Amino acid sequence: LSLRGEATLHPKFVELIRYAKRAGIHEVSTLTHGGKLKPKYVEQIIDAGIDWITISVDGVWDTYERIRKPLKFEDLYNNIKSINEIKKARDLVKPVIKVQGIWPAIRENPTVFYDTFAPYVDQVAFNPLIDYLGNDTEIDITFEENFTCPQQYQRLVVGADGLVMKCSNDEENRE
């Protein structure tokens, strides 16, 4: 339940999770900046059946706050620790909690990034900064020839226009 933008801002997000689970979707996931993941809200989305929560965390402390302004790192960090406490208190395996950042935001000290979150989440990852639209002249990217986006074998990606995309990174629906 995400594709660009912040899915948790949808006023019926909890209901959408419930609907997806009732409709037979076996694995319901979302990608979020984590700003709304206060304990009460987390309990609601857990009760609705969310299976995966991926939280975009681009750096720590000042780096995070510069990139994710107006969000505050300490608030996010406390949210993540609270999710861990809720899962432990309920003896839950799901939702799987993944923290991911972009490499430029963590490259100065990836160990600090990892060590900050690893005790509280199931996975810590990073992604390269890739200009999928081909608009950024400052990013030096070499694309692999004959690359096939694996998402077409993993999930259904539907854009706001209702069209199905082979890959969530194909914002122009070119593939």
Side-chain angles (χ1 to χ4, degrees), residues 6-17:
E6 179 55 42
T8 63
L9 294 179
H10 192 288
K12 295 186 178 183
F13 184 68
V14 175
E15 294 171 43
L16 294 171
I17 296 167

Side-chain angles (χ1 to χ4, degrees), residues 96-144:
V96 173
I97 307 300
K98 177 182 176 183
V99 164
Q100 72 181 18
I102 55 172
W103 178 249
I106 68 167
R107 82 172 135 223
E108 287 182 23
N109 200 335
T111 303
V112 169
F113 182 80
Y114 178 84
D115 290 347
T116 299
F117 297 108
Y120 307 107
V121 300
D122 302 296
Q123 295 181 3
V124 179
F126 71 88
N127 295 318
L129 182 60
I130 297 175
D131 179 24
Y132 289 100
L133 294 177
N135 294 332
D136 196 329
T137 58
E138 295 180 24
I139 299 176
D140 183 23
I141 304 286
T142 303
F143 289 97
E144 183 179 331

Side-chain angles (χ1 to χ4, degrees), residues 10-171:
H10 192 288
K12 295 186 178 183
F13 184 68
V14 175
E15 294 171 43
L16 294 171
I17 296 167
R18 268 194 208 97
Y19 175 82
K21 293 305 278 189
R22 280 195 309 262
I25 305 296
H26 295 290
E27 189 172 86
V28 177
S29 65
T30 195
L31 173 64
T32 176
H33 59 47
K36 279 192 69 174
L37 297 181
K38 305 289 184 227
K40 182 178 177 184
Y41 190 72
V42 168
E43 289 182 350
Q44 291 175 353
I45 62 177
I46 287 173
D47 292 342
I50 194 86
D51 296 292
W52 277 78
I53 302 171
T54 300
I55 306 167
S56 292
V57 183
D58 298 318
V60 295
W61 301 108
D62 293 341
T63 302
Y64 173 85
E65 291 181 5
R66 189 177 64 253
I67 294 171
R68 292 286 174 174
K69 189 176 184 174
L71 299 176
K72 299 294 181 197
F73 182 79
E74 187 168 357
D75 294 340
L76 175 74
Y77 187 62
N78 288 332
N79 287 350
I80 290 170
K81 291 193 317 189
S82 293
I83 296 168
N84 184 46
E85 291 169 11
I86 292 166
K87 283 182 63 175
K88 281 183 177 178
R90 292 183 174 202
D91 195 28
L92 298 175
V93 174
K94 288 188 176 185
V96 173
I97 307 300
K98 177 182 176 183
V99 164
Q100 72 181 18
I102 55 172
W103 178 249
I106 68 167
R107 82 172 135 223
E108 287 182 23
N109 200 335
T111 303
V112 169
F113 182 80
Y114 178 84
D115 290 347
T116 299
F117 297 108
Y120 307 107
V121 300
D122 302 296
Q123 295 181 3
V124 179
F126 71 88
N127 295 318
L129 182 60
I130 297 175
D131 179 24
Y132 289 100
L133 294 177
N135 294 332
D136 196 329
T137 58
E138 295 180 24
I139 299 176
D140 183 23
I141 304 286
T142 303
F143 289 97
E144 183 179 331
E145 282 193 43
N146 301 316
F147 172 78
T148 300
C149 180
Q151 292 178 349
Q152 62 186 327
Y153 307 108
Q154 300 167 339
R155 64 189 75 144
L156 182 65
V157 181
V158 181
D161 58 5
L163 296 176
V164 175
M165 293 178 259
K166 282 186 169 182
C167 186
S168 65
N169 297 316
D170 183 19
E171 294 177 2

